[in-house]
Amino acid sequence: MSAVTSTRIVLASRPHGEPSEDNFRTETVELPDLADGQVLLRTVYLSLDPYMRNRMNAGESYADPVEVGDVMVGGTVSQVVDSRAPGLPAGTYVLGYTGWQSHAVADGTAVRVLDPDRAPLATALGVLGMPGFTAYAGLLKIGQPKAGETVVVAAASGPVGSAVGQIAKIHGARAVGIAGGPDKCAYVRDQLGFDAAIDHRAPDFADRLKAAVPDGIDVYFENVGGPVTAAVLPLLNLHARIPVCGMVSQYNVASDPEGPDRLPGFMSLVLVKSLTVRGFIQSEFVREVYGDFERDASQWLAEGRLKHREDVVDGLENAPSAFFGMLHGKNFGKLVVRVGSEQD
Ligand code: NDP
């Protein structure tokens, strides 16, 4: 087979605060010949996720940063084009982690076969993939909602938040979603079946949230931080649980905020309300509950109890702008880039 090229987006420089197009560069590279055990992949869908913003930073985190000059990381659904790996013939669809590029060479052991007849391919990056699992593990292992309790989650129309609220409902809890704007709120309430949805951009957001949780909040699944968290804290019940999943409102913040130190007040609240505040990265729960998640999520999806929505952007070249938009709520549903068509 003649040499295959890959168009790829690399990290050109590290952002300070808001990322911009200047932080990325597009390159075309020739891919190496396949070694035994490897596959050549054609990317179909690239997942864009908030965590990628943190990977652009240098410094210590739960995962290594992307090095300047390296391909941006990311989950992908791809099709095998050529193969020297057993069980992965050309044409097979796989879930991998090949990043922001059109083609890649990967070890056969680093990908997982997908059945396109089982569920739409893009769901492997959303409701049936890492975001869905994040919701499942964080809510059930840390939040532990009981029937009749009230669960609140922001970014409620996104892949993590939408699954949190729906799983809370399946477990008999009351689900209140927080989302940006009337369209997202209508979707969260009317399509996903949350008991209430509150627009965090409304001027009287804090009052509306209070009215929506007459019995207080037992589980606050933290996705965003900032003013949303400030409005939630006074409404927490005794022994409330806070799985700290993400802080998307803070990812582009480059300096500490002005104003009073709120930490002593927060710690006093943790004390007097006997709160459980527990950060987590989804990978820590894979061994323990990934099998349960796969079983339950597939069943709920088939039964129509777990709904999902994808926001598909066409063209790898549009990945940076779509990514910037997601950090400000421009996406509506799980954000994926269609890098190539599903059918070759
Ligand atoms: P989404 O697709 O929901 O996109 C992020 C959403 O955050 C935006 O659409 C927007 O929704 C909301 N948002 C952005 N800025 C603000 C703001 N200033 N205030 C309030 N809301 C804001 O993302 P995901 O579902 O993929 O991820 C949700 C969270 O989960 C993120 O924090 C992410 O980092 C985290 N995460 C953590 C994992 C872990 O292992 N701990 C794994 C996966 C995700 P809206 O317009 O409704 O405000």
Side-chain angles (χ1 to χ4, degrees):
M1 197 169 174
S2 60
V4 175
T5 58
S6 178
T7 302
R8 54 189 216 169
I9 297 180
V10 304
L11 181 67
S13 59
R14 299 201 186 282
H16 184 72
E18 292 279 339
S20 73
E21 297 277 351
D22 292 343
N23 299 125
F24 298 108
R25 185 174 65 240
T26 303
E27 296 178 341
T28 302
V29 295
E30 212 167 271
L31 293 176
D33 290 338
L34 295 185
D36 273 347
Q38 290 186 323
V39 282
L40 171 64
L41 301 175
R42 174 184 76 81
T43 310
V44 178
Y45 294 111
L46 163 68
S47 178
L48 293 180
D49 299 273
Y51 75 83
M52 293 168 177
R53 176 61 189 85
N54 293 333
R55 299 288 172 87
M56 298 174 78
N57 295 340
E60 201 182 328
S61 187
Y62 64 90
D64 290 338
V66 175
E67 294 300 332
V68 172
D70 280 358
V71 180
M72 279 295 293
V73 291
T76 45
V77 168
S78 304
Q79 192 174 31
V80 175
V81 175
D82 193 12
S83 178
R84 290 185 61 182
L88 292 170
T92 309
Y93 291 102
V94 295
L95 176 68
Y97 197 70
T98 53
W100 298 27
Q101 54 187 335
S102 66
H103 295 78
V105 170
D107 284 338
T109 53
V111 300
R112 206 175 135 182
V113 173
L114 295 174
D115 178 357
D117 296 328
R118 182 177 153 243
L121 285 169
T123 59
L125 300 171
V127 66
L128 294 180
M130 184 277 283
F133 177 65
T134 301
Y136 184 93
L139 181 67
L140 299 183
K141 295 302 294 180
I142 302 171
Q144 299 180 14
K146 298 176 195 66
E149 288 191 331
T150 298
V151 174
V152 171
V153 62
S157 69
V160 176
S162 63
V164 166
Q166 292 179 91
I167 296 169
K169 294 281 302 173
I170 288 167
H171 282 261
R174 212 173 153 260
V176 175
I178 297 169
D183 290 350
K184 286 185 179 180
C185 286
Y187 168 72
V188 166
R189 195 182 46 243
D190 302 338
Q191 304 292 318
L192 299 181
F194 283 48
D195 296 280
I198 314 295
D199 181 355
H200 67 84
R201 298 213 188 98
D204 56 348
F205 161 64
D207 291 338
R208 289 193 200 190
L209 181 63
K210 187 173 180 191
V213 293
D215 298 328
I217 298 171
D218 301 292
V219 179
Y220 173 53
F221 192 100
E222 176 65 287
N223 271 341
V224 299
V228 169
T229 308
V232 162
L233 290 179
L235 306 174
L236 291 168
N237 289 335
L238 196 66
H239 295 128
R241 287 82 68 197
I242 307 180
V244 181
C245 175
M247 299 287 287
V248 70
S249 75
Q250 306 300 301
Y251 293 168
N252 288 333
V253 172
S255 56
D256 289 336
E258 305 263 316
D261 179 0
R262 293 174 189 269
L263 188 58
F266 174 70
M267 292 308 280
S268 297
L269 190 71
V270 172
L271 174 65
V272 300
K273 291 276 179 81
S274 299
L275 303 179
T276 299
V277 182
R278 160 81 149 85
F280 74 101
I281 302 299
Q282 48 82 23
S283 50
E284 75 170 279
F285 294 115
V286 165
R287 197 179 291 259
E288 200 181 338
V289 286
Y290 204 86
D292 296 347
F293 161 70
E294 284 193 306
R295 181 199 62 219
D296 290 346
S298 305
Q299 186 182 329
W300 295 333
L301 195 71
E303 294 170 351
R305 299 169 83 193
L306 187 56
K307 300 194 176 69
H308 61 96
R309 176 183 175 124
E310 281 77 40
D311 183 342
V312 182
V313 171
D314 272 304
L316 181 63
E317 67 280 9
N318 294 316
S321 57
F323 173 62
F324 307 148
M326 176 181 57
L327 298 172
H328 293 282
K330 297 231 167 71
N331 63 310
F332 191 168
K334 169 62 200 149
L335 184 59
V336 295
V337 179
R338 186 168 17 229
V339 179
S341 62
E342 288 195 11
Q343 300 298 331
D344 195 9

